[in-house]
Amino acid sequence: MRFDLVLFGGTGDLAWRKLLPALFQSFRHGSLPADGRIIGVGRGAMSDDEYRALIAQRLAEVEADKRPSDAEFARFAQHLHYLRMDLSQPADYAALRELLQAREADTVVMYLATAPSLFTTVCQQLGAAGLATERTRVVLEKPLGHDLPSNRAINAAVREVFSETQIFRIDHYLGKPSVQNLLALRFGNAIFEPLWRRENIASIEITMAEQLGVEKRGEFYESTGALRDMVQNHALQLLCAIGMEPPISADADAIRNEKLKVLQSLKRWTPETVTRDVVRGQYAAGQIAGKPVPGYRQEEGVSPTSQTETFVALRTEISNWRWAGVPFFIRTGKRLAGREASIVVHFRQVPHAIYRTPLGAANRLTIHLQPKDGLTLQLMAAAQSQADTGGVQTLSPAALDLDFDQRFGTERVGAYERLLLDVIAGRLNLFVRADEQEAAWQWVEPILEAWQQANARGEAPRPYVAGHWGPGAASALVARDGHSWMEEF
């Protein structure tokens, strides 16, 4: 396939940290179509060779097993080109058109790795320059808007130029191998489906924890916060994968229709339930891996009186027949005790216990997203040696552990690599539809409004010490339902 991938923001942070390493890995794996161009777009003057040298320098900083050898990069560099553009100038889009028309590619991908404020401008200019043809696809990075009105405005502007089937709204969590295996687990195996309902599941917990702080992104994070950065997109997409009904097929719209139903079935927020069922926190100075780290308000680009949340924990429910009454707990935060992304399905206790078991022990299925990639199923098994218990046998937890890296090899396709290849091939299954995004924004908006009112009253996020698992109120939140976070077992 002959393709052109135009990377707006081609010298930016996302391009060199995620996108170009992913494109190189697909080249290394032989899955990147050979007859393709990657055109980096930036504001600075640069030749193709200078751009290639810059990317070579960046790729030398990635993990050792993903770095190219000199010979590998020399071959990969033949795909790399550079174009200087001012994204507000029509003449520069005319230059892009000439570059693309120099050869007729089968597919042209416009990847907008830019600030969301530029999405509308770029798409309008692409349309005016005649670059939005039926062969064109546009990729939009998150965050797509700051709230529901801005999200709708961006989507409306983009749809004036591109059809919905040409728009790829990317959420890199959907490209993770473990998320793909979650869908395979649910819809490719018969053993779990009969159990996947309120009669057998006590609660479901979604955790996305980071040890890092905001690093050099304080100014960006001040206007975003954890709810917009992680919950509105990543966490809700994971919740959909867990909670959705089986689609009629693996087609993109069949899957996305079922995800939309989940979002529409989430319990609506009221001021009272936000107060009761949502915890917002902000990290204070502490220690990570034995080293002191500053509090959020001491980070570069952050206001010393900031009320931006760096931690969110919440309880919600899906109001349908399958899930009615089952609590879904979501938490995400920065400067926490560990780096962990996982989904934990807590099954109910057996209805009649004939064995002794440790307090709180029950079957659990853990889907590991990062840093480990795999599944752990906790069963109860008879202990081989035990003290006299009056003739009643004691059971102990035993884990069945599936490590995907060991089972399938460490060279599996990464999230961005998978998603980029899907864009080139035109597969929409792992991308978010406009109505999904709007439903997600509709659901989080009452929380944002309640926090805005709390800020006006001078109510700050709950502080937590860096290196811990968030405010104590997050533990109290799950304890009200008789549950605990995974690390508290």
Side-chain angles (χ1 to χ4, degrees):
M1 175 195 292
R2 176 178 290 186
F3 77 93
D4 284 331
L5 192 159
V6 182
L7 185 52
F8 293 91
T11 59
D13 182 68
L14 178 66
W16 70 261
R17 281 193 308 109
K18 298 291 186 181
L19 303 179
L20 285 162
L23 288 164
F24 169 72
Q25 290 303 316
S26 64
F27 168 80
R28 171 183 271 179
H29 295 156
S31 50
L32 186 71
D35 193 4
R37 290 189 300 182
I38 301 164
I39 303 168
V41 169
R43 290 177 295 181
M46 201 180 306
S47 68
D48 287 353
D49 286 340
E50 288 172 329
Y51 184 61
R52 291 163 182 160
L54 174 65
I55 301 308
Q57 177 185 346
R58 297 302 193 187
L59 290 180
E61 299 172 8
V62 302
E63 301 96 316
D65 61 336
K66 294 183 178 180
R67 291 176 197 160
S69 66
D70 291 343
E72 281 180 317
F73 185 79
R75 295 193 299 273
F76 177 64
Q78 296 174 17
H79 294 276
L80 298 177
H81 305 269
Y82 182 79
L83 181 65
R84 180 185 184 183
M85 287 185 66
D86 181 334
L87 299 184
S88 65
Q89 294 301 313
D92 288 357
Y93 290 86
L96 174 60
R97 184 180 63 238
E98 291 179 9
L99 179 62
L100 295 176
Q101 288 178 344
R103 63 169 211 161
E104 287 292 325
D106 302 310
T107 298
V108 178
V109 176
M110 305 292 185
Y111 198 117
L112 274 58
T114 67
S117 59
L118 293 172
F119 289 174
T120 297
T121 298
V122 173
C123 288
Q124 289 173 341
Q125 294 280 10
L126 290 173
L131 287 168
T133 71
E134 61 182 12
R135 299 178 291 109
T136 308
R137 294 162 191 155
V138 63
V139 184
L140 305 178
E141 269 285 349
K142 80 170 186 76
L144 203 67
H146 189 73
D147 52 18
L148 180 59
S150 61
N151 173 260
R152 283 175 169 164
I154 292 173
N155 275 323
V158 175
R159 282 198 297 261
E160 288 180 0
V161 182
F162 297 99
S163 69
E164 183 65 31
T165 57
Q166 293 177 287
I167 304 171
F168 291 71
R169 299 172 189 84
I170 199 164
D171 184 327
H172 72 271
Y173 263 72
L174 295 181
K176 286 180 176 291
S178 288
V179 177
Q180 302 309 300
N181 276 293
L182 167 60
L183 297 176
L185 174 84
R186 287 205 56 199
F187 305 131
N189 296 281
I191 59 174
F192 286 108
E193 175 55 28
L195 306 177
W196 215 260
R197 58 193 68 249
R198 63 187 302 275
E199 292 84 0
N200 305 302
I201 292 177
S203 68
I204 293 178
E205 159 190 343
I206 299 172
T207 293
M208 293 176 292
E210 299 178 67
Q211 284 188 311
L212 292 174
V214 295
E215 307 308 304
K216 303 295 184 182
R217 300 167 68 238
E219 186 174 348
F220 161 79
Y221 205 82
E222 274 287 82
S223 63
T224 305
L227 187 70
R228 291 183 177 95
D229 190 40
M230 297 295 289
V231 176
Q232 182 273 334
N233 38 68
H234 303 324
L236 288 186
Q237 286 294 321
L238 294 179
L239 186 150
C240 287
I242 281 286
M244 64 191 280
E245 294 297 318
I248 60 173
S249 71
D251 291 341
D253 278 334
I255 293 171
R256 298 192 292 185
N257 288 342
E258 297 303 333
K259 290 196 294 176
L260 178 62
K261 291 176 186 177
V262 174
L263 294 168
Q264 293 171 333
S265 300
L266 288 173
K267 275 196 171 180
R268 303 295 104 177
W269 297 104
T270 67
E272 292 73 26
T273 58
V274 171
T275 300
R276 184 189 68 204
D277 293 337
V278 183
V279 177
R280 64 169 178 157
Q282 185 185 90
Y283 65 82
Q287 290 195 340
I288 298 289
K291 297 180 180 179
V293 295
Y296 176 71
R297 293 181 176 181
Q298 288 77 54
E299 299 278 14
E300 180 182 341
V302 173
S303 167
T305 59
S306 173
Q307 294 175 307
T308 299
E309 80 284 356
T310 63
F311 176 94
V312 178
L314 61 84
R315 178 198 188 279
T316 189
E317 295 181 19
I318 301 174
S319 298
N320 61 20
W321 276 38
R322 181 185 290 267
W323 295 113
V326 177
F328 285 72
F329 299 105
I330 295 173
R331 66 173 171 174
T332 183
K334 292 188 174 294
R335 289 294 188 209
L336 297 181
R339 177 176 177 260
E340 169 74 18
S342 62
I343 303 168
V344 185
V345 180
H346 298 270
F347 291 93
R348 296 190 185 279
Q349 300 278 358
V350 293
H352 175 63
I354 62 173
Y355 300 106
R356 296 180 187 271
T357 57
L359 183 65
N363 300 130
R364 286 198 301 270
L365 174 66
T366 303
I367 299 105
H368 304 281
L369 304 174
Q370 68 179 27
K372 182 181 177 180
D373 188 7
L375 302 172
T376 301
L377 178 61
Q378 178 176 288
L379 304 176
M380 307 306 297
Q384 293 302 307
S385 60
Q386 50 190 301
D388 182 18
T389 56
V392 179
Q393 194 169 29
T394 299
L395 302 184
S396 298
L400 299 179
D401 203 348
L402 172 59
D403 186 313
F404 290 143
D405 286 337
Q406 291 184 5
R407 174 62 182 83
F408 299 112
T410 58
E411 286 299 309
R412 290 179 303 124
V413 175
Y416 268 106
E417 182 182 349
R418 168 68 184 270
L419 294 172
L420 285 163
L421 292 173
D422 278 2
V423 174
I424 294 171
R427 293 186 290 263
L428 282 159
N429 301 54
L430 302 181
F431 297 86
V432 183
R433 206 166 57 193
D435 51 4
E436 288 182 73
Q437 280 193 332
E438 289 194 11
W441 277 115
Q442 285 176 324
W443 187 74
V444 303
E445 276 231 318
I447 304 176
L448 293 169
E449 292 169 0
W451 286 355
Q452 188 175 20
Q453 294 170 9
N455 290 343
R457 296 191 299 266
E459 299 174 11
R462 298 172 184 268
Y464 62 95
V465 178
H468 290 68
W469 282 105
S475 295
L477 174 71
V478 296
R480 289 204 306 265
D481 285 285
H483 301 292
S484 302
W485 297 108
M486 266 297 294
E487 74 278 357
E488 296 172 340
F489 277 93

